[in-house]
Structure formats: structure tokens, C-alpha cells
Amino acid sequence: SQTIHQWPATLVQPVGSPLSLECTVEGTSNPNLYWYRQAAGRGLQLLFYSVGIGQISSEVPQNLSASRPQDRQFILSSKKLLLSDSGFYLCAWSGNSGRYEQYFGPGTRLTVT
Amino acid sequence: AQSVAQPEDQVNVAEGNPLTVKCTYSVSGNPYLFWYVQYPNRGLQFLLKYITGDNLVKGSYGFEAEFNKSQTSFHLKKPSALVSDSALYFCAVRDRDQAGTALIFGKGTTLSVSS
């Protein structure tokens, strides 16, 4: 079966510091991968999605970037964090064969101080 | 443009009573529709989907949803609510005729089941 991992689970970082969140998927090949941010326990904002290695689509201009160095690895980064980057970051995957539901990881709670 | 509306921020029901969480959608073509549940500080869990076929879809934990094309709705239902069903519920849509793979999520509805 497929599993999705995210780390770290929680992170407290000062303003201006760099960020690296990692997401990996097991048990599937060539998944579509997604990064979402959830503010205040409510709506989801799609940040990035990727349909293959090195292929990144950005949905919202912001202080963040994403990379996909391997088929099942998706990384969310920032060079300098802002207070507004605080939130709950969720990684998700879906198959690209026609099954369009997405499966989510456990999330990373980021607090920028 | 695609969109999803969940008109209720919160739904309150007593344990054992039926529950309904409402969702309406807007897509230019035919929709794929989904429901997810989220418990505090956890990721979203997939509950069920409508792709094609029977308008009544059954999913995990006794939940079901009915696709109504004329009303562009996809309401989530359960015949008998449990306290453990208390959580945040998201409806999502994708236009099957459009390129791209992103789902559009509603803002979520908090379900509170009292004992």
C-alpha cells in the first residue's frame, strides 16, 4: 500500500531564516505531488504541484519555492521566512492514471516567530 | 472557473441523528467530486468520490453522498451520527474535461456531534 511521509511534524523558525520541508511517497511510481497551506484550521491553498521530476507548477506567487529532485520526493523551501508563512503545510499525492483523489500526509505545523 | 461552496461553517447534530453536510459546485464541464475529513492537527483523509455512474456514492465510516447534477450539489450524509464523527469536512471538485490535476476545495464545515 502507499504511504506518504512529511517531516518535520512541527517547526518553529525565526523570521528571515531558511526553510526546508520534505515529503516522500512510498508504494507508487510517478505520482502527482502537491503542496498546500492551511491557515487557521480552515481552507486549503494550493501552493505547488508537480507531474514529474523537475516539473513544478506554482499556483500562488509567494516567498516559497518547491523542488522535485526524485520521483517520490517533494521539497518546499524558502530562503527567508516571513511571519505570514506560518501555517499548516500539507503534502499530497495522486496517481496520474485517472484516479483523481489525492492522499494527504500528516502535515507540518510551521510557526514563524 | 471552478469553485466549491460549503454554505455552513458549522453543523451541530445529536448522536444517533442523521447528518448532512452541504456542498455545491461550479464547473464548466462534468465534475469529479470528493469528500475529505480532517481531525485536529492531522492531514485530510479521503472519504468518498463521485466519478460517474450511480448518483449515490458510499464511502468510509458509513458516509455517503448524493450527486445531483440539476442542483449542482454533492451533499455528504450519514444515517446515524457518532461523537467520533466530529471533525472538519471538506468538499472538493475537479472538472474532468480540463487539463491540469488540481482539486478545488471548499472552505470546510465543522461537524459537531453531541452525546
Side-chain angles (χ1 to χ4, degrees):
Chain A
S1 64
Q2 301 88 3
T3 56
I4 179 169
H5 304 280
Q6 285 187 247
W7 63 89
T10 60
L11 190 61
V12 180
Q13 293 283 90
V15 168
S17 64
L19 173 73
S20 181
L21 303 181
E22 189 164 344
C23 170
T24 59
V25 181
E26 297 177 354
T28 187
S29 297
N30 196 28
N32 291 343
L33 296 171
Y34 310 83
W35 278 112
Y36 290 88
R37 177 168 58 203
Q38 185 178 28
R42 298 300 296 200
L44 294 163
Q45 180 186 34
L46 178 64
L47 302 175
F48 302 94
Y49 72 91
S50 171
V51 299
I53 295 174
Q55 301 178 63
I56 308 295
S57 296
S58 175
E59 291 294 302
V60 181
Q62 59 212 321
N63 186 40
L64 302 168
S65 62
S67 62
R68 184 170 177 174
Q70 301 181 41
D71 180 45
R72 289 169 288 178
Q73 184 184 31
F74 205 23
I75 297 172
L76 184 69
S77 303
S78 174
K79 292 182 178 179
K80 290 185 177 181
L81 283 168
L82 306 172
L83 285 174
S84 57
D85 292 323
S86 294
F88 192 48
Y89 288 83
L90 291 160
C91 181
W93 75 272
S94 72
N96 58 14
S97 61
R99 296 182 65 208
Y100 294 107
E101 65 266 30
Q102 296 176 9
Y103 297 95
F104 285 78
T108 295
R109 174 74 60 191
L110 171 66
T111 304
V112 183
T113 60
Chain B
Q2 305 171 63
S3 66
V4 176
Q6 293 181 241
E8 301 156 317
D9 285 343
Q10 180 147 347
V11 171
N12 300 309
V13 299
E15 188 174 32
N17 283 358
L19 69 88
T20 298
V21 183
K22 296 179 180 178
C23 171
T24 58
Y25 66 90
S26 175
V27 297
S28 56
N30 294 305
Y32 291 131
L33 293 155
F34 309 86
W35 275 102
Y36 288 82
V37 60
Q38 185 181 31
Y39 297 98
N41 294 309
R42 303 289 295 274
L44 277 67
Q45 295 179 32
F46 170 68
L47 281 178
L48 51 80
K49 65 182 176 185
Y50 171 79
I51 301 298
T52 188
D54 194 349
N55 289 344
L56 184 63
V57 178
K58 295 186 182 297
S60 305
Y61 312 119
F63 284 95
E64 59 188 28
E66 186 166 11
F67 170 62
N68 187 317
K69 187 172 184 178
S70 63
Q71 296 185 9
T72 62
S73 67
F74 190 56
H75 301 331
L76 181 70
K77 300 180 179 182
K78 188 173 182 180
S80 179
L82 300 173
V83 172
S84 57
D85 292 330
S86 299
L88 182 58
Y89 290 81
F90 290 97
C91 182
V93 68
R94 179 181 178 275
D95 187 333
R96 72 172 75 175
D97 300 321
Q98 285 195 356
T101 63
L103 295 180
I104 305 301
F105 285 85
K107 293 184 177 181
T109 298
T110 299
L111 173 66
S112 179
V113 182
S114 57
S115 58

